[in-house]
Amino acid sequence: MPESLAATGARWLHRRLVYPAVVRARGEGGVFEKQRELETAQWLEAPALRARQAARLERLLALAAGSSPWHRERWGRRVALAGRDPFEVLRELPLVTKAELQDSIADMLVQPQPRRTLRKVTGGSTGQPVAIVKDSAAVAAEMAASWVAYGWFGVRRGDRGVRFWGQPATLKRRLRFAAADFAMHRIRFSAFAFGEEDLERYWRRCLDFRPDFFYGYASMLAAFADFVLQRGYDGRALGLKAIVSTSEVLTEPHRRAMVSAFGAPVQNEYGCGELGPIAYECPAGGLHLLPESHVVEVLRPDGTPAARGESGEVVVTDLNNVALPMIRYRVGDLAVPGGACSCGRGFPLLERVWGRAYDFVLGPDGRRYHGEFFMYLFEDQRSAGSPIAKFQVVQHAPDRVVFRVVESAAFDQGHEERLLAAGRARLPGVDIRVERVSELPPAPSGKSIVVQNLWLRSDAADGAEATTEPAGSAA
Ligand SMILES: [Zn+2]
């Protein structure tokens, strides 16, 4: 479909005028220079990247040790930087939990604070929001990293986006989001309105708006893709460059649905609200970390680094934020470190991310069953003709799990028995029941929850709860 001159002009105006004016007004004009820097840095080889990272890490550690009362007190004499490898120093420092961040943020802030900062509240499935502070240059660096990564799929600044996202509750925040949406040339579809009528409305809006890319929760994007496929609409006619899936584990069935509905590649974005984006998928399928933004460690339970191919806990140090040092922050996810990517970029890889540390069922034999495991289990049932729309898995005790299934007339006793049989076969030693519910409320952020582990959460004494606020640039 030929592009109208007006649409091309609108993109140009946004890229050249609106976006630069807005980011400069917010003190985030560094995004342009940073983006140019990253365009080059991504092709550097590992030793060069490591040297740049070391220099930035050293500055951050010195800043935290000198100007953050909380870090100074906690570290004591541990941080003697002179002449030492900063990575080695880092490995000796204690980990920081979300609970510590919540309780001590006022003392963690660097004194004096940078001139321009942004306060951002990130949600939590536990209903315990954390307010974090970022300096404007850090926000700019975060956006620059996102634009570089979207660029791997041809998405550029000024391109039109559709955001499948939560809607803020207060008018003040709604207005702020609306302003950000305007600046970013995008529209927003609410995570809280996802009935058939809403989806139909969103489809019509897409035909009208002609977006270049989608961005949002994996589950919402997949629901929209399913809808488009079911109605027989031509999603390819939108001509999307990419679909950026974030914030939830992206499963293969979800990816397939999006590709077949819209004919566009899906880019997986991994991040968290406190830190922003942590890794992006490239067209060759590698999930690249951003070594110019973070030091990411994947640790075994004893604190030593996990080997390549081995699962461990994700611990992140943010190299950008000089308002609030985030050093060895426990994100609450599990991941597997990877090797090099065939695309040639030097940014290191995660082989995979296992999602939130507590978002899994722990079997009596110690085996872990992640959200993805259940997505496949239910997907198999659907493929065999079982009319299951939405589901959730809740673990109440080591040997007690409930499958919550949204009530529908078509889901009969036979379907339930087959689902139970499949569950019992795959989760040995676990007592499984099916509970029919009228709906599944999403987390406060609007994100859907595949696995809820009430048993492990009640046990979680260190407060490293799962975070639900997604990553992402600018509001
Ligand atoms: Zn790659």
Side-chain angles (χ1 to χ4, degrees):
M1 159 156 333
E3 266 264 311
S4 77
L5 210 56
T8 312
R11 283 185 188 81
W12 187 89
L13 271 178
H14 251 90
R15 180 155 56 238
R16 297 286 168 176
L17 296 173
V18 180
Y19 182 82
V22 173
V23 293
R24 291 212 168 95
R26 292 201 304 212
E28 295 155 9
V31 63
F32 306 107
E33 199 194 324
K34 195 75 199 176
Q35 191 179 341
R36 280 193 297 275
E37 197 183 320
L38 293 175
E39 297 284 4
T40 311
Q42 62 180 326
W43 301 105
L44 292 174
E45 292 188 8
L49 285 167
R50 188 88 173 158
R52 289 165 66 92
Q53 205 182 25
R56 307 193 67 201
L57 177 60
E58 191 170 343
R59 278 201 295 278
L60 176 77
L61 294 179
L63 175 79
S67 310
S68 161
W70 189 86
H71 288 95
R72 196 166 49 219
E73 170 136 336
R74 190 161 195 235
W75 292 350
R77 296 171 155 277
R78 249 187 287 217
V79 179
L81 279 163
R84 291 191 64 201
D85 172 9
F87 294 107
E88 197 182 292
V89 176
L90 184 72
R91 279 194 293 273
E92 292 167 7
L93 297 173
L95 305 183
V96 175
T97 64
K98 186 170 185 177
E100 284 167 332
L101 179 66
Q102 269 169 334
D103 295 343
S104 311
I105 183 163
D107 288 330
M108 284 186 190
L109 294 175
V110 165
Q111 298 303 340
Q113 277 282 283
R115 197 166 62 85
R116 298 194 72 157
T117 57
L118 177 88
R119 193 169 165 277
K120 182 177 169 192
V121 179
T122 83
S125 55
T126 52
Q128 286 279 27
V130 190
I132 61 134
V133 179
K134 279 183 192 190
D135 65 286
S136 307
V139 176
E142 201 176 286
M143 289 193 296
S146 299
W147 285 122
V148 169
Y150 301 158
W152 298 342
F153 291 87
V155 173
R156 305 171 65 191
R157 268 187 278 120
D159 280 353
R160 297 180 181 196
V162 174
R163 212 167 170 82
F164 293 76
W165 214 248
Q167 281 284 12
T170 65
L171 180 63
K172 193 177 150 201
R173 292 196 77 211
R174 264 178 208 266
L175 287 174
R176 222 191 73 207
F177 276 41
D181 287 345
F182 174 72
M184 304 295 285
H185 215 184
R186 69 191 178 203
I187 55 174
R188 185 180 289 260
F189 295 160
S190 167
F192 302 116
F194 240 60
E196 293 271 299
E197 278 169 36
D198 303 303
L199 293 170
E200 180 64 36
R201 194 158 45 81
Y202 296 161
W203 170 248
R204 306 235 156 262
R205 188 83 179 85
C206 281
L207 289 175
D208 200 40
F209 183 66
R210 292 280 153 192
D212 299 295
F213 69 108
F214 285 172
Y215 177 94
Y217 300 144
S219 61
M220 290 178 68
L221 291 167
F224 190 50
D226 284 340
F227 171 81
V228 165
L229 290 170
Q230 273 162 23
R231 292 286 168 104
Y233 295 152
D234 181 11
R236 287 162 195 262
L238 296 178
L240 295 177
K241 295 175 179 173
I243 300 169
V244 185
S245 160
T246 190
S247 171
E248 298 168 330
V249 173
L250 171 67
T251 63
E252 276 314 307
H254 278 168
R255 190 193 288 267
R256 273 202 302 278
M258 292 179 220
V259 171
S260 85
F262 302 106
V266 178
Q267 180 180 35
N268 190 12
E269 175 188 84
Y270 165 58
C272 76
E274 298 92 307
L275 299 158
I278 296 170
Y280 280 103
E281 189 177 0
C282 76
L287 188 59
H288 290 271
L289 292 166
L290 306 167
E292 300 278 298
S293 295
H294 314 111
V295 176
V296 174
E297 299 171 86
V298 179
L299 302 178
R300 294 179 181 138
D302 69 359
T304 57
R308 196 176 145 184
E310 186 187 359
S311 187
E313 183 186 347
V314 179
V315 169
V316 179
T317 297
D318 185 343
L319 299 173
N320 290 323
N321 193 356
V322 295
L324 171 69
M326 300 274 284
I327 296 169
R328 303 201 93 197
Y329 182 68
R330 297 176 73 171
V331 174
D333 291 323
L334 300 172
V336 179
C341 187
S342 61
C343 75
R345 290 184 181 83
F347 290 0
L349 295 185
L350 287 181
E351 196 175 294
R352 66 174 308 156
V353 176
W354 278 113
R356 304 299 170 189
Y358 292 122
D359 289 355
F360 58 81
V361 165
L362 186 61
D365 55 359
R367 279 177 63 187
R368 293 177 175 206
Y369 304 92
H370 292 269
E372 202 161 349
F373 171 88
F374 294 103
M375 303 288 289
Y376 284 112
L377 192 150
F378 279 80
E379 193 56 35
D380 287 351
Q381 295 295 304
R382 286 191 192 115
S383 312
S386 190
I388 302 171
K390 286 185 174 174
F391 72 91
Q392 188 176 62
V393 176
V394 186
Q395 183 167 25
H396 291 279
D399 58 354
R400 204 149 48 80
V401 166
V402 168
F403 289 171
R404 286 183 179 159
V405 176
V406 170
E407 190 92 64
S408 81
F411 184 73
D412 61 26
Q413 197 57 36
H415 296 127
E416 178 172 326
E417 276 160 23
R418 279 198 290 282
L419 172 64
L420 279 172
R424 284 169 186 151
R426 295 203 213 171
L427 286 103
V430 179
D431 172 29
I432 301 173
R433 300 196 179 181
V434 169
E435 187 184 307
R436 293 165 186 244
V437 295
S438 57
E439 61 175 331
L440 289 170
S445 62
K447 208 172 119 165
S448 70
I449 303 165
V450 177
V451 175
Q452 219 181 12
N453 201 317
L454 299 177
W455 165 58
L456 284 183
R457 276 175 198 282
S458 69
D459 252 21
D462 66 356
E465 296 99 346
T467 56
T468 61
E469 183 77 8
S473 47

